[in-house]
Amino acid sequence: MIKISIIGTGYVGLVTGTCLAEIGHKVICQDNDKKKINILKNHEIPIFEPHLKKLVINNVKKGRLVFTDDPIFATRQSEIIFICVGTPPLKDGEADLSAVEKVSHLIAENSSSYKLIVEKSTVPVQTGMWIDKTINLYNKNNIEFDIASNPEFLREGSAVEDFLHPDRIVIGVQKKRAEKFLKKLYHPIIEQSFSYPIHKNCKYSEKIPFVVTDINSAELIKHASNSFLATKVSFINAISDICEKTGADVTKVAYGIGLDSRIGKKFLNAGIGFGGFCFPKDLQAFIRISEKLGYEFSLLKEVEKINENRIKVLINKIKDHLWIIKDKTIGILGLSFKPNTDDIRYAPSIKIINELKREGALIRAYDPKAINKVKEIIPDIIYCNNSYDVAKNSDALIVVTEWNEFKNLDILKIKSLMKRPLIFDGRNMWDKEKMINEGFEYIGIGR
Ligand code: UGA
């Protein structure tokens, strides 16, 4: 059992802290936001993430997980400190590292014994070097420190599973001591020797690759991974535009190319583009860092441009079929940036709704989890209790997020409720042939 502190109990910090407690460590999760800490102390979870609430409650009960707003207490009580504070984008897209700097300073001044400081927030390459410098500058008590980078590869909606059963664990270290300590920390995950079966019928018998690099390489692995995945998404979206011009079907093209193991099937779903707080922000940050380092990453600029254009492509399709948008009732299915989360940051739904509102449409919208968050920024549309309510008197329906519950809707009931059975399937969620056979005007992406 290792004593760990998590500084910054946001999305990454909470999942990391909870899962490390689950594999047997003693974890303190700290956040300056007292309101959030009180919510957590009352066994409530400020975000929606499958499995997380159950794990938090279990580990709090077992005494392995506690929450505090006191960063000095968290620093003093732990051997390993994970920095999980936010790195939001500045106006020019560069990551704001002021919180990382503050935490490094605070740890250096308040430690009284050896600490391994692990950078987990998504940061530009060479941030580890800056943390190291800051620690040395403020290390008045001459405490021994090690610095490491341990990027996260958690997808919202399956973050617990991704943490406990990852494709790989990457650490960037300067010293063997830090490597050994982190290997010990992650031992139950590397060996898959803990007993929390998320998928009861699925066996995880394979060892998890533990990749050890220098700190700069680990930081780059994170940015390069997200950028590569975003590139795959923009690539297939560009292909989908060509498919529309030629009569090909992008779902078939994606299947055909994805079977090549060098390409892989994942992240080839064409649609209305990527959103969320990771891809758009990390892509921008990576472009800025590269610029600073003297490299113009025009490939990634194009990836960004293709993604930004996806909403325009959709709106043009809507205009092509509805002719006039003003006074038309348009239903929106899905508001979160992807299924199984209530996160609406950089969600395509927000841009689509604002654009349709600007054109004078009446909007009815439903999402299984994200309505309250969208209401805060767009109060003046109609929020419905379910998908059938959205369909009522709609001139068109747009699938914006492919939640599972939408896949199983009674589509004949949907059709009977709509004024005109016109569907824009922004995620190619439904079977095109079936929808057409059932009498819908079905407009997918690239098919
Ligand atoms: C992403 C990465 O997948 C994680 O590995 C990483 O740790 C995380 O960012 C992060 O940096 O914290 P996430 O943003 O939760 O995770 O979601 P993804 O599943 O990657 O999806 C991102 C966006 O791409 C979503 O809007 C999704 O709808 C879109 N997407 C994804 C597509 O349009 N097509 C696809 O084929 C796949």
Side-chain angles (χ1 to χ4, degrees):
M1 184 206 68
I2 299 173
K3 287 198 232 162
I4 299 157
S5 281
I6 307 284
I7 308 289
T9 306
Y11 178 79
V12 171
L14 184 59
V15 174
T16 301
T18 306
C19 291
L20 288 174
E22 179 63 25
I23 60 168
H25 301 299
K26 206 165 163 72
V27 182
I28 301 172
C29 282
Q30 185 277 343
D31 202 287
N32 291 342
D33 182 345
K34 288 190 180 157
K35 203 171 136 201
K36 188 195 284 175
I37 291 299
N38 282 335
I39 292 176
L40 287 162
K41 279 183 175 168
N42 289 326
H43 297 177
E44 287 303 325
I45 308 292
I47 48 170
F48 170 73
E49 182 63 42
H51 308 293
L52 191 58
K53 187 169 181 174
K54 191 174 159 200
L55 255 68
V56 168
I57 293 173
N58 277 350
N59 285 286
V60 168
K61 275 190 191 149
K62 285 180 183 157
R64 294 198 296 237
L65 181 62
V66 295
F67 298 100
T68 178
D69 59 11
D70 182 350
I72 297 175
F73 167 75
T75 298
R76 295 205 172 133
Q77 295 298 315
S78 53
E79 302 158 272
I80 302 184
I81 302 177
F82 279 87
I83 301 182
C84 297
V85 294
T87 52
L90 292 165
K91 268 196 186 132
D92 64 352
E94 211 178 306
D96 180 356
L97 298 176
S98 54
V100 175
E101 196 255 2
K102 267 193 199 129
V103 170
S104 312
H105 187 151
L106 182 135
I107 296 170
E109 283 197 336
N110 292 287
S111 295
S112 48
S113 58
Y114 167 79
K115 307 281 170 209
L116 168 57
I117 301 167
V118 187
E119 140 208 301
K120 191 95 178 153
S121 305
T122 298
V123 291
V125 61
Q126 295 179 333
T127 302
M129 179 193 80
W130 281 104
I131 296 177
D132 196 19
K133 273 190 188 168
T134 310
I135 296 279
N136 283 323
L137 275 173
Y138 297 97
N139 183 7
K140 290 182 194 131
N141 303 328
N142 269 328
I143 304 301
E144 274 196 82
F145 286 104
D146 281 324
I147 312 289
S149 161
N150 173 214
E152 56 88 11
F153 304 103
L154 311 174
R155 289 163 302 169
E156 293 193 19
S158 51
V160 170
E161 185 179 351
D162 288 347
F163 194 96
L164 295 173
H165 310 295
D167 287 344
R168 79 299 206 187
I169 295 169
V170 174
I171 62 156
V173 290
Q174 295 161 318
K175 290 191 201 139
K176 201 77 193 162
R177 176 170 62 179
E179 177 188 333
K180 275 192 185 158
F181 208 4
L182 283 170
K183 201 163 192 181
K184 188 173 158 199
L185 176 87
Y186 280 117
H187 185 264
I189 294 183
I190 296 168
E191 298 294 328
Q192 290 292 290
S193 59
F194 58 95
S195 62
Y196 183 76
I198 288 184
H199 294 310
K200 289 195 178 78
N201 300 324
C202 190
K203 270 192 193 151
Y204 292 91
S205 51
E206 299 264 313
K207 268 197 183 187
I208 305 296
F210 188 70
V211 182
V212 184
T213 67
D214 57 281
I215 294 184
N216 286 347
S217 301
E219 290 169 340
L220 265 178
I221 287 172
K222 169 67 192 192
H223 266 310
S225 298
N226 274 5
S227 300
F228 188 80
L229 292 169
T231 303
K232 263 188 118 174
V233 175
S234 277
F235 177 82
I236 202 64
N237 282 334
I239 298 286
S240 80
D241 286 352
I242 311 268
C243 286
E244 284 180 11
K245 292 185 196 300
T246 56
D249 182 335
V250 74
T251 58
K252 292 181 180 149
V253 176
Y255 181 67
I257 60 176
L259 285 174
D260 185 327
S261 60
R262 292 169 303 173
I263 296 173
K265 291 181 201 160
K266 294 179 182 165
F267 279 72
L268 286 181
N269 297 322
I272 48 178
F274 54 78
F277 204 53
C278 302
F279 282 6
K281 153 177 107 71
D282 289 0
L283 211 57
Q284 271 189 22
F286 201 22
I287 292 169
R288 295 297 161 265
I289 306 156
S290 308
E291 247 164 37
K292 269 189 158 180
L293 294 168
Y295 180 78
E296 204 207 315
F297 220 143
S298 42
L299 172 66
L300 293 187
K301 285 186 180 166
E302 198 55 36
V303 168
E304 221 182 4
K305 203 167 122 199
I306 292 171
N307 197 55
E308 274 160 14
N309 205 33
R310 297 316 290 163
I311 306 296
K312 208 164 117 204
V313 168
L314 175 77
I315 300 290
N316 284 344
K317 277 186 187 171
I318 297 173
K319 282 185 182 161
D320 282 350
H321 288 84
L322 272 183
W323 184 27
I324 305 292
I325 291 183
K326 189 168 184 293
D327 296 333
K328 295 273 161 57
T329 302
I330 300 183
I332 305 281
L333 291 182
L335 297 167
S336 55
F337 84 96
K338 63 182 243 183
N340 296 326
T341 174
D342 59 353
D343 198 342
I344 57 157
R345 292 174 295 176
Y346 294 86
S349 64
I350 308 296
K351 286 191 196 161
I352 294 169
I353 292 173
N354 283 335
E355 196 56 37
L356 292 173
K357 263 176 65 189
R358 213 176 49 80
E359 297 271 352
L362 267 121
I363 314 271
R364 301 171 71 79
Y366 167 71
D367 185 281
K369 295 286 172 199
I371 288 182
N372 287 342
K373 287 195 173 166
V374 181
K375 248 186 206 168
E376 282 175 25
I377 49 172
I378 312 181
D380 53 346
I381 60 169
I382 299 167
Y383 291 96
C384 302
N385 291 328
N386 56 54
S387 307
Y388 300 110
D389 200 11
V390 172
K392 259 181 219 158
N393 289 323
S394 287
D395 294 281
L397 270 189
I398 310 174
V399 177
V400 176
T401 318
E402 68 280 31
W403 283 90
N404 261 339
E405 72 168 66
F406 299 157
K407 293 180 187 159
N408 304 320
L409 286 172
D410 176 348
I411 51 168
L412 287 179
K413 187 170 168 190
I414 292 279
K415 191 176 137 204
S416 70
L417 290 165
M418 292 178 73
K419 216 187 279 175
R420 176 179 166 186
L422 173 59
I423 302 270
F424 296 94
D425 187 351
R427 300 290 182 179
N428 289 340
M429 181 184 80
W430 278 311
D431 183 329
K432 181 184 170 186
E433 304 299 318
K434 190 175 169 211
M435 296 303 280
I436 292 172
N437 289 341
E438 299 293 6
F440 282 94
E441 292 169 73
Y442 176 86
I443 320 297
I445 304 283
R447 53 203 311 218

